[in-house]
Amino acid sequence: MSIAAGYTGRFAPSPTGPLHFGSLLAALASYLDARARNGRWLIRIEDLDPPREQPGASDQILKTLEHFGLHWDGEVVYQSHRLEHYAEIVQHLLDKKLAYRCRCSRSELKQRDALYSYDGYCLSTPPDPDAECAIRTRCSDNLLTFEDLIQGRQSWQHDTGRDDFIIFRRDGLFAYQLAVVVDDHAQGVTSVIRGSDLLDETFRQLQLQHHLGYPTPEYGHIPILLNRLGQKLSKQNLAPALITDQAVKQLWEALNLLGQNPDPSLQSASSTELLDWATTHWQRNCIPRTLAIRSSGS
Ligand SMILES: [Zn+2]
């Protein structure tokens, strides 16, 4: 699939803590894929969940990206500034009967064994108008498929109703799925390169794009990184923050894990020289397909 009207990629971190090596891998892959195709590369801060956020983390993330030479285009978009827009889209989906109010609590869902596969209770028994509700969108396409740029053809088949998912939470927060789809569209994103831990989410995003009449970007999911214990490198697993005075060493290691085979002599280059080399020599088809790789470093 070729991109007719120019390439726009993005990196979209949540400010729940500093960037770690796993986030560098995703940032670098999306940056290089955009730059190698003369594309734009945008930053979006996904600050939709204040209780999980760490004060100052957004600024720290941006400083780290700059320090690593990963310079972005245009203004940084903050999802916390876009709540009115998300509310309009949710209302539109409700009006079109592509979403419905759901008053089921977590414990009720658990009791009915419907926590991970919804039972459609609120479709057949609509909640009282004044009940505090979440909003679910309908999964009406029984088969969703896409061609992943790295992982190949992906498909997801489901029973109508069972996979209806939350787009607005009972606690008043918009769900990640909704904000991501609305923002990728608003920012003209054509290509999403990110970690394979988000592979399954892509199908829900496809469904929302269909509901809203948005074009679907191309997607490429890079392997996620495991620590020495075989756990995903993440803030929850206390992955160490990137070390800014070792930017070149860490960029070099990330390029190596992305299958780009950088020459060892490049470890003494500057980060700008290393990124220039990597942009010129970027080969997306060399990224390993395996869904998880082990970090050789920290
Ligand atoms: Zn419900």
Side-chain angles (χ1 to χ4, degrees):
M1 197 192 302
S2 66
I3 298 298
Y7 182 114
T8 300
R10 49 78 162 173
F11 177 59
S14 305
T16 49
L19 292 181
H20 53 75
F21 194 76
S23 16
L24 176 66
L25 214 59
L28 182 63
S30 68
Y31 171 89
L32 291 173
D33 205 62
R35 295 304 189 220
R37 291 163 78 184
N38 289 318
R40 295 194 307 148
W41 189 63
L42 311 178
I43 298 293
R44 182 168 72 229
I45 300 287
E46 301 202 326
D47 52 348
L48 273 184
D49 195 348
R52 289 186 56 231
E53 284 153 26
Q54 216 180 69
S58 298
D59 289 344
Q60 195 186 1
I61 287 171
L62 296 175
K63 273 193 194 131
T64 304
L65 289 171
E66 280 187 323
H67 194 90
F68 276 72
L70 298 168
H71 301 293
W72 57 90
D73 298 306
E75 298 275 310
V76 174
V77 167
Y78 291 85
Q79 289 190 325
S80 58
H81 299 176
R82 293 180 44 74
L83 304 184
E84 279 177 28
H85 197 62
Y86 305 143
E88 273 173 31
I89 300 286
V90 168
Q91 190 57 52
H92 169 81
L93 290 167
L94 284 169
D95 293 345
K96 292 264 176 194
K97 308 268 184 261
L98 294 168
Y100 57 92
R101 297 167 69 245
C102 169
R103 61 161 293 281
C104 305
S105 68
R106 200 179 157 80
S107 59
E108 286 167 337
L109 290 170
K110 223 172 183 173
Q111 252 171 27
R112 302 201 309 263
D113 199 18
L115 195 55
Y116 300 107
S117 180
Y118 191 57
D119 56 4
Y121 180 82
C122 293
L123 258 182
S124 51
T125 320
D128 291 339
D130 53 356
E132 198 171 77
C133 285
I135 294 169
R136 275 181 199 274
T137 197
R138 305 185 73 149
C139 253
S140 44
D141 294 354
N142 288 335
L143 178 66
L144 290 161
T145 59
F146 70 98
E147 198 67 46
D148 191 274
L149 296 170
I150 296 155
Q151 305 296 337
R153 188 159 192 79
Q154 305 292 316
S155 60
W156 192 48
Q157 195 150 19
H158 64 94
D159 301 327
T160 306
R162 303 296 293 179
D163 292 295
D164 292 357
F165 56 94
I166 302 281
I167 52 173
F168 180 74
R169 290 167 25 181
R170 253 161 67 111
D171 59 8
L173 298 177
F174 292 96
Y176 160 78
Q177 305 291 359
L178 178 90
V180 144
V181 165
V182 171
D183 290 344
D184 279 344
H185 179 66
Q187 293 185 280
V189 170
T190 60
S191 307
V192 177
I193 306 291
R194 59 184 179 188
S196 59
D197 50 329
L198 292 168
L199 195 58
D200 285 348
E201 308 298 343
T202 308
F203 295 109
R204 298 184 181 92
Q205 291 165 27
L206 252 59
Q207 178 66 76
L208 272 175
Q209 287 154 3
H210 295 176
H211 283 341
L212 294 166
Y214 295 167
T216 291
E218 52 179 13
Y219 289 95
H221 289 86
I222 65 165
I224 54 160
L225 208 54
L226 303 181
N227 65 17
R228 289 195 179 116
L229 300 172
Q231 301 160 321
K232 183 197 156 195
L233 216 59
S234 69
K235 288 158 195 163
Q236 287 76 20
N237 286 328
L238 306 175
L242 288 171
I243 306 163
T244 41
D245 62 7
Q246 292 185 13
V248 173
K249 182 176 176 284
Q250 291 174 98
L251 283 169
W252 190 92
E253 198 199 333
L255 285 169
N256 210 25
L257 288 171
L258 289 169
Q260 303 302 302
N261 203 18
D263 194 87
S265 67
L266 286 163
Q267 288 178 87
S268 54
S270 70
S271 57
T272 310
E273 285 165 345
L274 183 55
L275 288 171
D276 284 350
W277 176 89
T279 303
T280 312
H281 294 86
W282 177 242
Q283 293 196 68
R284 192 206 284 140
N285 58 6
C286 289
I287 299 174
R289 238 187 191 210
T290 39
L291 290 178
I293 47 177
R294 206 168 282 259
S295 170
S296 54
S298 49

